[in-house]
Amino acid sequence: MNPFERQQHEFQSRHIGPSAEETESMLSTIGVNSIDELINRTIPSAIRLKEPLQTPGSVSEYEYLRNLKIVASKNKIFKTYIGQGYYGTITPSVILRNIFENPGWYTQYTPYQAEISQGRLESLLNFQTMVTDLTGLPLANASLLDEGTAAAEAMTMIFHQVNKERKVRFFADENIFPQTKDVIVTRAVPIGIEVVFGNYKSVQIDDSFFGAILQYPNDHGSIEDYKDFIEKIHNAGGYAIMATDLLALTLLTPPGELGADVAVGSSQRFGVPMGFGGPHAAFFSTRDDFKRGIPGRIIGISVDAQGNRALRMALQTREQHIKREKATSNICTAQALLANMAAMYAVYHGPDGLKSIATRITVLTATLASELHKLGFTNMHPSFFDTLRIKVDDVNAVKTIAETRSVNFRYFDHQHLGITLDETTDAGDLLEILSIFAEVAGNDTISFTLDTEKEISHFTGSLRRSSRYLTQSVFNMHHSETEMMRYLKYLENKDLSLNTSMISLGSCTMKLNAATELIPVSWPEFSNMHPFVPVTQTEGYRQIIDELSSFLCEITGFTACSLQPNSGAQGEYAGLLTIRAYHEDRGEKQRNVVLIPISAHGTNPASAVLAGMKVVVVKSDAEGHVDVEELRAKAELYKNTLAALMITYPSTHGVFEESIREICQIVHDHGGLVYMDGANMNAQVGLTSPGMIGADVCHLNLHKTFAIPHGGGGPGMGPICVNEKLAAFLPGHVSINRKAMHAAAVSSAPYGSASILIISYAYIKLLGAEGMKSATEYAILNANYMKARLDKHFKILYLSRKGTCGHEFIVDLRPFKSSSGVEVEDVAKRLMDYGFHAPTMSFPVPGTIMIEPTESENKSELDRFCDALINIHEEITAIESGNSDKTDNPLKNAPHTLSAICNDEWKHAYSRQTAAFPLAYLTKNKFWPSVARVNNTYGDRNLICTCEPTEAYA
């Protein structure tokens, strides 16, 4: 390869782990002569692509960043006062560098393995504490996707709470955010909820209503006293939801004190950039009565095996996707990385700092209102926090002048506009705003004096907050940058992430998240863009969105794409809604049955239920494949009501089922459509495609196959691609389509978490068609290499007819329970002593682990992991032979902490060296779990989901 070709293809060698020499050795171990031979053994020839992908060739990292700067410059960053749930904010540099731009935080996995996740668990506990304190409600989760979907989740939760009473009406005040209305309607219709819009002051509430939602402050910026209305909804046997603003709540009476049952909103303005719509962490708090129904994840306090404080995900069995078709939510991905940023914003500023920021904003807003009044412009409501609704003779006159000065206001109608101030607003900005209105009014000059000691008099005493908040020590001791930097590093050191070792989670694809892919997310041209600015200001984003959509369509073999779903489960939901809309458009509304293999991800049936569909399970045969004859029988049985099949390919068992085309044809022949779960696209790209297989729609986990990092449990992205007949039914949005109330918006922003789309765009541009194909081939190579090394020691389940796996494989640990007492959890915890995160546990088969190495790991790392598992097998053998005690052994006592190893007392029959350094490589680079095995039962019986008060540490 000449130097010019080498530069062009350089990223491929950076992204793909094995070298040419390692590849030859790995192929030899597998017993094949070439990668082509391995792929031919693995993927059925009938579904192989005949032509290469028609995506652009690869570019170098330098060339990519240089070209992207040109694209970024096409975005026009105006000074924006639109508000509507999205605000300018200042990300403290210490948080930007040490969390947002730090792989030690953004490459972590969801904290299912608590012992090596104590850092992010503490940060998420801080987030929950911040939310409960500010909202005045005792229980919060560790974030949701965005404000609109959080509101929809709240509505759904209370709907199920009163389900026995058969109430179906839900009141939504007309002054909640438009995008929230949009998402609520989308969520309500499929499950039979009737949304009633109106004014909370005049609506007649009776016992047919199960709940209501209000905005505080509302869409127009007005602060309303909802106490009487909330009492009214309670008297009718319903519940009250308040969508609110955390920063405003530092000054306003919190929802819990007003009687609300649920509070929702976005934590975006706590230091998280707007990013053209996301990702942002939504918050959700509620009363203890709802602890079994609250969606998402809850972090709780427990103890470890040594009696020390330890955090973990509380009530894990109430994770909604585990409930499958009985779920009331399909939430899987949270927005953990962004929740961590928001939590640390509160930690850094503390209660006094947050109150100071809020006070400054509202004083500036009051000053602006007063000065506009002097110019003859009236603010339409007397009580406000940061938003004014100004009456003018003609908004177009204001808009014309404002846009010439690179200023965006919000335009409600031809006589009313909105101005929302935020943390980035200063006195110079006020002068610019006033000069615009002065020009409209015909004034030549304008000046004002800012009274920095001005008292807040623009909201009434009953709505002024008197209760304290954030009194816990964590929010009152890290206010210097030195202290904050050390606190963040202290937490980071407790967590195992991809900068420590491989994370081989089957079905979760923890591959390299390259720095070049991530750097542009922080560029101001992308991070400072409000999602509702005029389209003329978003040319750079539009270019990326259009190109990425076309790339994803080419990769999937489909016609159209929606980038709106901001998680994989949201993609499932959106895909099913397109199928539902298609059938209804054809006059076949009765088609509501979804066939789902028993091995499917738990979010599949949960998403189907939320889409208003009936789940019918299809069993697997002895080899783990879909039972084709049972599928055929059930398709025939439900031929008049069959809506869809949901299927994962390769299968959840990691095998390319050869009957896949027959399966799709059976469903089509009986009037249904095929939804393909894209969780395993890392084994398809460039070699086959959902369109080739016969699917009609699929979602793509961009946080898996397309390199968006997992962020400790989010962000995620789940765009859907569809064939031509479904294209007309993709999600719409009120900000780009005024008829979108009927077009099924599934997220608050039109392009979901738009800023992180840049990461997947970079992944495709940097690898090019050839590189993406190679990435898929190496994902399959790495998995088969590990299988070949491990199958001498463990039983491997579900292989192809030719003895290969796809990009992942399942190791059966069930035999060891009877022979040695060792269970899958013991192996998972013992792997921590070897410096590894456990593979996926007990899914899709209980008592097994599912391993997916990804293409990014080189042979030495694969060998290190295999050596660890093989050594663990030897430890199990020692128990089986009686050479190691059945209860006091390294597996049952794992993981071993530094404090346990260094303790003067050591009561175990095995040595400290065996416990902590079972293989030589650990003496050079040892990762220590910060707590011993966590007692989940204790934590669930003694549920504590907020930081302890300061006196608890005394």
Side-chain angles (χ1 to χ4, degrees):
M1 186 181 292
N2 69 50
F4 298 97
E5 289 179 314
R6 182 179 179 83
Q7 183 188 31
Q8 184 181 0
H9 296 286
E10 186 177 23
F11 182 77
Q12 181 175 326
S13 64
R14 306 293 191 197
H15 177 82
I16 295 173
S19 66
E21 294 77 13
E22 289 176 332
T23 300
E24 290 303 314
S25 174
M26 291 161 69
L27 289 169
S28 176
T29 300
I30 296 168
V32 293
N33 295 316
S34 66
I35 289 180
D36 285 343
E37 181 184 345
L38 173 63
I39 299 304
N40 289 336
R41 285 190 181 189
T42 303
I43 304 180
S45 59
I47 61 166
R48 290 289 299 277
L49 294 176
K50 303 299 187 288
E51 300 292 335
L53 291 174
Q54 298 302 302
T55 54
S58 60
V59 297
S60 71
E61 294 176 69
Y62 173 76
E63 183 183 358
Y64 170 75
L65 290 176
R66 185 183 63 186
N67 292 340
L68 193 66
K69 268 293 181 186
I70 298 170
V71 176
S73 69
K74 297 178 182 179
N75 287 333
K76 300 174 183 176
I77 304 299
F78 283 22
K79 191 67 182 179
T80 296
Y81 304 99
I82 294 173
Q84 200 176 322
Y86 300 93
Y87 310 93
T89 185
I90 299 169
T91 307
S93 297
V94 66
I95 294 175
L96 180 70
R97 174 177 283 257
N98 291 287
I99 296 184
F100 194 53
E101 298 176 341
N102 180 359
W105 283 89
Y106 65 68
T107 69
Q108 301 160 347
Y109 183 59
T110 307
Y112 291 115
Q113 297 294 339
E115 295 83 359
I116 51 175
S117 307
Q118 289 295 299
R120 87 201 75 144
L121 285 166
E122 180 169 327
S123 181
L124 292 172
L125 186 73
N126 294 345
F127 178 83
Q128 289 177 181
T129 305
M130 172 187 82
V131 171
T132 58
D133 269 23
L134 291 175
T135 61
L137 288 161
L139 181 67
N141 63 21
S143 87
L144 292 177
L145 300 173
D146 56 40
E147 181 167 339
T149 55
E153 292 286 349
M155 173 187 69
T156 306
M157 182 186 76
I158 62 176
F159 174 63
H160 287 283
Q161 182 84 359
V162 299
N163 208 21
K164 292 178 183 177
E165 300 174 43
R166 306 289 183 189
K167 296 184 176 191
V168 297
R169 302 182 83 202
F170 180 76
F171 174 74
D173 186 67
E174 61 192 10
N175 287 324
I176 64 173
F177 290 143
Q179 68 271 21
T180 302
K181 293 178 185 177
D182 204 354
V183 176
I184 282 175
V185 170
T186 300
R187 188 70 65 88
V189 171
I191 57 175
I193 295 174
E194 178 191 347
V195 181
V196 177
F197 290 100
N199 189 299
Y200 82 95
K201 294 178 181 177
S202 57
V203 67
Q204 297 300 308
I205 294 293
D206 57 37
D207 60 10
S208 66
F209 286 89
F210 68 86
I213 185 167
L214 310 151
Q215 191 94 37
Y216 177 70
N218 73 16
D219 182 44
H220 294 169
S222 178
I223 300 169
E224 303 285 325
D225 188 343
Y226 296 121
K227 271 185 182 177
D228 291 344
F229 176 82
I230 291 172
E231 187 176 347
K232 203 183 295 184
I233 195 77
H234 285 164
N235 289 338
Y239 297 92
I241 304 162
M242 288 179 69
T244 188
D245 180 330
L246 291 179
L247 194 58
L249 294 182
T250 63
L251 303 176
L252 296 178
T253 301
E257 293 178 23
L258 295 175
D261 302 287
V262 187
V264 299
S266 172
S267 62
Q268 177 267 313
R269 71 189 310 172
F270 273 34
V272 182
M274 287 185 287
F276 201 40
H280 307 136
F283 62 86
F284 188 116
S285 61
T286 188
R287 303 194 182 285
D288 281 328
D289 301 354
F290 292 101
K291 67 184 178 185
R292 291 283 166 180
I294 183 172
R297 300 166 182 147
I298 303 173
I299 310 307
I301 300 171
S302 187
V303 295
D304 71 1
Q306 298 166 4
N308 299 314
R309 177 184 185 267
L311 306 176
R312 88 283 182 245
M313 288 170 57
L315 305 171
Q316 281 204 37
T317 55
R318 51 136 298 279
E319 281 247 21
Q320 295 286 353
H321 62 272
I322 296 172
K323 296 179 180 179
R324 301 178 70 84
E325 63 267 23
K326 294 180 181 178
T328 56
S329 165
N330 69 338
I331 287 294
C332 184
T333 304
Q335 298 284 32
L337 178 67
L338 300 314
N340 287 330
M341 288 180 67
M344 291 306 171
Y345 181 91
V347 168
Y348 193 47
H349 287 295
D352 293 339
L354 293 178
K355 186 174 182 179
S356 177
I357 293 167
T359 300
R360 182 176 170 277
I361 291 170
T362 203
V363 167
L364 284 170
T365 308
T367 302
L368 179 60
S370 175
E371 296 298 325
L372 286 173
H373 184 72
K374 292 176 186 177
L375 289 170
F377 299 99
T378 304
N379 177 37
M380 299 303 293
H381 44 256
S383 297
F384 53 86
F385 166 62
D386 62 359
T387 298
L388 306 175
R389 180 179 166 94
I390 303 296
K391 185 175 182 180
V392 296
D393 291 334
D394 180 9
V395 297
N396 287 326
V398 180
K399 185 177 181 181
T400 299
I401 297 169
E403 290 188 351
T404 62
R405 300 193 187 192
S406 299
V407 170
N408 290 320
F409 298 127
R410 183 179 175 194
Y411 302 103
F412 291 103
D413 54 47
H414 70 281
Q415 280 199 308
H416 296 90
L417 59 85
I419 307 173
T420 298
L421 306 188
D422 56 47
E423 183 186 10
T424 69
T425 309
D426 59 25
D429 296 318
L430 251 62
L431 192 62
E432 178 73 17
I433 293 169
L434 290 169
S435 69
I436 291 169
F437 282 88
E439 185 173 342
V440 172
N443 286 12
D444 293 331
T445 59
I446 186 71
S447 65
F448 73 98
T449 302
L450 181 64
D451 182 0
T452 57
E453 302 298 322
K454 185 179 177 68
E455 287 294 318
I456 300 172
S457 59
H458 47 280
F459 43 93
T460 60
S462 66
L463 293 178
R464 287 287 298 275
R465 181 163 194 150
S466 58
S467 55
R468 298 177 68 201
Y469 50 88
L470 304 185
T471 58
Q472 300 83 357
S473 59
V474 71
F475 297 106
N476 292 280
M477 61 187 295
H478 302 294
H479 299 161
S480 77
E481 183 164 338
T482 301
E483 291 168 321
M484 189 67 182
M485 174 183 65
R486 288 174 181 162
Y487 180 55
L488 293 173
K489 189 64 179 176
Y490 163 75
L491 295 183
E492 180 191 343
N493 286 344
K494 293 183 174 189
D495 284 16
L496 189 148
S497 51
L498 276 177
N499 66 357
T500 306
S501 59
M502 71 182 288
I503 301 177
S504 60
L505 286 149
S507 195
C508 287
T509 314
M510 298 290 293
K511 65 169 66 177
L512 171 72
N513 312 121
T516 295
E517 295 162 354
L518 286 150
I519 285 171
V521 178
S522 299
W523 291 355
E525 298 94 330
F526 295 123
S527 64
N528 292 344
M529 180 73 74
H530 192 287
F532 302 148
V533 297
V535 68
T536 54
Q537 297 169 26
T538 64
E539 186 180 342
Y541 258 120
R542 287 297 320 178
Q543 179 177 332
I544 291 169
I545 285 165
D546 290 345
E547 287 187 28
L548 179 59
S549 296
S550 69
F551 296 159
L552 296 179
C553 285
E554 171 65 18
I555 289 165
T556 57
F558 285 137
T559 303
C561 175
S562 170
L563 300 173
Q564 191 178 124
N566 49 8
S567 80
Q570 286 286 85
E572 294 172 11
Y573 179 63
L576 291 171
L577 289 182
T578 63
I579 290 173
R580 175 188 170 98
Y582 169 80
H583 288 311
E584 289 184 354
D585 186 65
R586 289 162 55 87
E588 295 189 293
K589 193 172 183 178
Q590 83 284 357
R591 290 195 175 274
N592 67 344
V593 169
V594 180
L595 303 178
I596 302 180
I598 196 169
S599 62
H601 295 97
T603 49
N604 283 187
S607 296
V609 170
L610 285 182
M613 296 179 175
K614 177 184 175 183
V615 174
V616 173
V617 176
V618 179
K619 69 181 181 182
S620 299
D621 63 20
E623 284 73 45
H625 303 154
V626 173
D627 188 320
V628 177
E629 292 312 309
E630 176 167 291
L631 174 75
R632 193 188 312 276
K634 289 188 172 178
E636 177 64 27
L637 178 63
Y638 295 102
K639 63 184 178 184
N640 295 322
T641 55
L642 180 61
L645 165 74
M646 297 185 81
I647 192 163
T648 302
Y649 200 76
S651 74
T652 314
H653 295 128
V655 177
F656 287 87
E657 298 187 36
E658 298 194 13
S659 58
I660 185 63
R661 278 189 155 176
E662 180 184 2
I663 287 169
C664 293
Q665 192 60 50
I666 290 169
V667 175
H668 289 149
D669 288 345
H670 291 84
L673 299 180
V674 176
Y675 170 90
M676 201 204 81
D677 186 311
N680 291 342
M681 276 298 293
N682 210 44
Q684 282 197 45
V685 179
L687 299 179
T688 184
S689 73
M692 165 72 76
I693 289 162
D696 300 284
V697 53
C698 76
H699 88 265
L700 300 169
N701 295 96
L702 299 189
H703 54 290
K704 295 181 182 180
T705 302
F706 295 93
I708 290 176
H710 284 65
M717 281 291 281
I720 56 172
C721 294
V722 300
N723 57 21
E724 189 172 0
K725 62 187 174 187
L726 290 175
F729 306 103
L730 288 171
H733 195 275
V734 68
S735 69
I736 53 177
N737 174 4
R738 288 297 164 184
K739 295 180 181 178
M741 292 298 287
H742 308 288
V746 295
S747 302
S748 286
Y751 305 105
S753 299
S755 68
I756 57 174
L757 295 173
I758 299 164
I759 301 167
S760 297
Y761 178 75
Y763 175 84
I764 295 170
K765 296 278 277 189
L766 289 167
L767 280 176
E770 180 186 326
M772 286 191 289
K773 179 185 174 187
S774 292
T776 307
E777 291 170 338
Y778 272 89
I780 293 170
L781 172 69
N782 283 1
N784 278 278
Y785 172 69
M786 293 184 75
K787 179 196 74 68
R789 282 210 60 197
L790 293 173
D791 65 10
K792 302 175 183 63
H793 309 275
F794 300 92
K795 180 181 179 182
I796 310 298
L797 299 180
Y798 309 129
L799 300 174
S800 71
R801 286 191 300 108
K802 296 180 180 178
T804 62
C805 63
H807 65 311
E808 59 191 5
F809 60 98
I810 297 173
V811 176
D812 191 0
L813 302 179
R814 292 172 296 182
F816 302 125
K817 184 175 182 179
S818 58
S819 66
S820 65
V822 171
E823 301 186 52
V824 64
E825 184 181 24
D826 301 319
V827 174
K829 304 309 179 188
R830 182 59 172 153
L831 275 167
M832 296 176 189
D833 290 329
Y834 288 83
F836 287 108
H837 194 293
T840 301
M841 290 169 51
S842 292
F843 175 81
V845 181
T848 66
I849 54 174
M850 181 162 60
I851 298 173
E852 180 185 351
T854 85
E855 70 276 12
S856 298
E857 303 298 342
N858 65 10
K859 181 176 179 293
S860 62
E861 184 72 353
L862 303 179
D863 283 335
R864 200 162 67 91
F865 186 89
C866 289
D867 290 344
L869 266 183
I870 291 167
N871 209 59
I872 287 172
H873 181 264
E874 292 178 5
E875 293 173 346
I876 295 172
T877 301
I879 300 170
E880 291 172 328
S881 65
N883 292 327
S884 183
D885 188 82
K886 202 164 186 177
T887 56
D888 182 26
N889 59 67
L891 284 107
K892 287 295 181 183
N893 294 324
H896 297 82
T897 62
L898 179 62
S899 61
I901 297 297
C902 295
N903 199 301
D904 289 342
E905 189 175 40
W906 182 259
K907 295 182 177 180
H908 306 298
Y910 55 94
S911 68
R912 286 181 167 91
Q913 169 127 5
T914 297
F917 302 99
L919 289 176
Y921 71 80
L922 291 162
T923 61
K924 300 176 182 177
N925 185 18
K926 172 72 177 175
F927 177 86
W928 291 98
S930 57
V931 297
R933 194 174 303 194
V934 176
N935 187 330
N936 290 315
T937 303
Y938 177 91
D940 287 346
R941 288 176 178 169
N942 304 274
L943 191 61
I944 302 172
C945 300
T946 57
C947 298
E948 302 93 325
T950 302
E951 55 267 24
Y953 297 95

